[in-house]
Structures are given as structure tokens and as C-alpha cells.
Amino acid sequence: MRDQVKSKSGKRSSIGRRIRSAVGYALAGALLVTGGWLVGEFQNRSDYVYADTPTSTLTDQLTTEKVMVVGGSMAHGWKDPNNDGYIKRAFQALNNATNTNYVYDDRTQPGASPTWAEGKFQSWLDSDHPQIVVISWGLLNDVYAKTPMDEFSQAIQDEIQESLAANAVVVFVTSPVTKATATYNHGPVERYIHTEEAIADSFHSPNVYFIDLNQDMATYLKAHGQTWQNYYGDSWHPDSAGHELAGELLFDDWIQTFGTGPVTWQSTNAN
């Protein structure tokens, strides 16, 4: 039997939808997130993203959680000199701003896709024993390969099932805005995103979350009079500044979703 859901309505279950429906970045310059951070003050948090050790204000005893990160070249951090991609940056910031120590297991692979990961995903879970699985496929590899939607859907479903069976909380994170996702591949990418989200919702599980970072970043860019051109690495990847911005947005989304405490597995009763 499947776990009972953590669905965020049938429309847009991501935290990004809640942020947009509340007021949007254009009108929410003063919106506070947990810990007193301003959504608009991204530049002021750069030090947290790059810092190597927790701040002295944290308690001595930290909760440690293993995070397994799955994705392609965008999640891997391509076009950043040190491969410090948006997910890694977000967790660096979380390590320094919360009392949770996230141990980062990087299972990203440039050129990879959900169907490529089949047959490997379970072995990663068995090896890493994560408490959290972050799945962030860029989806452009699937667009390029014209991955059939039924094959894509099955691969996503398998990733969720295998993660839940390992008692790992699943967090889907869509990728940052790039030239391709904003222009000539926008429609196909959106179709894969909607499919991914629908499958996540179909599990009706409180241990499955969906964060639409791509939409959050698009909203931010529009509100600030910017486009993908301000963060261009190449057609498929943001530059270092784009990874930084996306990491800051993901940091906010994470705090908004989970607060400043550790991410906990929620036990459910069988139907």
C-alpha cells in the first residue's frame, strides 16, 4: 500500500506555487522567511553559501542527515569553476544557518537522465543510506533524446518507490532557468515537469515533496527585470552567478518547506 500523501493541492503542489499565490516576488520584497531572512536580500547571504563551517551561534550538538543528490550536468554544477551547483550551494547555506549538518552525497552525472539511472538508483540507496533523496533532473537530456513519456514516468515512479522503501524523504527540485528552458525547449521541459509533479503527487505521501525552482527563478527574474541572459553559462547551463541565485532561492524554499530543523520521516499507516 502506498503512503498517505503530502500533496499540495492538484494545481501546483510546490512551495513555489505557495510563494507565487501569496503575492509573488515583485510584491513581496518584505516577505520574511524563517530565521528573519528577506527573500530579496540574496546578496547578503553569499557569505553563508561559501562558508565552510557552521556559524558560532549554532548549538554544539548538530543533527546529521545524509542527502543523496541525483541529477544531470546542471545539478552537478557545470559552468561553475568549482562545480558548486545550486543544490550544493543551498546545502552549504543550510549547514551554516541551521542546526542540521547535511552530509552531501553527489550522485549527479553529466548527460544523465531518469531512464539512465534505472538499475543504478537502488544500488546508490543501498550504498549511501540517505535520510533525504533530492532528485533534480535538468530534463534537457530527455528533451534532446525524445524520451517517451511512459518510459520517463516509469523511471520517476521507480525512483520514488525505491526511496520510500528505504525510508528516505524524497524532494524533487526542478532545475534553474537557462536559455533552453526559457525559450526553444520551454514547452517540452514543462511537459516533463508536469509529469514529474503528477507522479510525485500520485503517491499521496507526506514524505514526497516538490519544489518548482524553475518557476521560482522565472518569477524572480521577471520581478527584477532580468532574463536568462543575465545568468548565461551556455544554452543548457547557468553561469556561476546563476547557480548562486538558484541556490539562494532553493535555500529559501527549503526553509519555507521544512523550517530550520532537520527533515523528518513521517510514519504512515497502511490503507
Side-chain angles (χ1 to χ4, degrees):
M1 302 290 291
R2 291 178 178 170
D3 295 339
Q4 287 302 314
V5 75
K6 170 92 177 171
S7 176
K8 300 188 174 63
S9 89
K11 308 168 199 150
R12 237 351 188 180
S13 62
S14 69
I15 183 62
R17 187 192 66 78
R18 295 207 304 272
I19 294 176
R20 293 194 302 279
S21 62
V23 265
Y25 283 107
L27 302 178
L31 178 65
L32 292 174
V33 295
T34 305
W37 299 94
L38 288 172
V39 171
E41 291 183 346
F42 296 122
Q43 313 308 332
N44 295 334
R45 286 201 305 275
S46 296
D47 291 341
Y48 286 99
V49 175
Y50 288 112
D52 293 324
T53 57
T55 62
S56 59
T57 58
L58 300 181
T59 59
D60 291 334
Q61 293 187 346
L62 301 178
T63 299
T64 297
E65 292 195 328
K66 182 77 72 68
V67 182
M68 188 177 90
V69 180
V70 179
S73 57
M74 249 198 284
H76 191 72
W78 270 22
K79 293 302 173 178
D80 180 89
N82 300 308
N83 285 331
D84 282 336
Y86 57 100
I87 303 175
K88 186 179 292 185
R89 288 172 180 269
F91 278 105
Q92 287 171 343
L94 288 165
N95 279 347
N96 291 298
T98 73
N99 63 352
T100 302
N101 177 40
Y102 293 100
V103 178
Y104 194 94
D105 279 358
D106 190 350
R107 292 292 183 175
T108 61
Q109 175 64 46
S113 66
T115 53
W116 171 88
E118 285 197 298
K120 304 175 182 68
F121 196 88
Q122 183 62 58
S123 67
W124 297 340
L125 289 169
D126 294 341
S127 175
D128 295 351
H129 303 290
Q131 283 80 50
I132 305 165
V133 174
V134 174
I135 300 173
S136 189
W137 297 112
L139 304 175
L140 290 169
N141 290 320
D142 291 289
V143 172
Y144 180 78
K146 296 181 173 61
T147 304
M149 197 60 75
D150 59 342
E151 293 181 15
F152 176 84
S153 299
Q154 186 62 59
I156 293 298
Q157 182 169 315
D158 290 344
E159 289 175 356
I160 298 174
Q161 286 178 331
E162 291 168 6
S163 298
L164 293 178
N167 283 358
V169 174
V170 181
V171 184
F172 279 91
V173 178
T174 60
S175 61
V177 173
T178 67
K179 178 181 180 179
T181 66
T183 58
Y184 54 85
N185 283 147
H186 179 73
V189 166
E190 281 295 303
R191 285 192 286 276
Y192 282 115
I193 287 176
H194 290 317
T195 298
E196 198 174 46
E197 184 177 12
I199 294 170
D201 285 349
S202 73
F203 275 77
H204 306 297
S205 171
N207 296 303
V208 179
Y209 296 80
F210 194 93
I211 296 176
D212 196 344
L213 177 63
N214 186 274
Q215 182 59 59
D216 289 349
M217 187 168 173
T219 301
Y220 175 93
L221 296 180
K222 183 177 181 180
H224 290 78
Q226 299 177 346
T227 70
W228 56 266
Q229 293 170 311
N230 297 90
Y231 303 97
Y232 179 82
D234 63 26
S235 295
W236 281 27
H237 305 93
D239 62 5
S240 184
H243 280 293
E244 181 178 357
L245 172 60
E248 290 165 342
L249 289 165
L250 179 54
F251 172 93
D252 283 331
D253 283 347
W254 194 276
I255 295 295
Q256 188 84 358
T257 305
F258 300 109
T260 58
V263 177
T264 58
W265 172 267
Q266 297 186 45
S267 298
T268 57
N269 296 321
N271 289 332

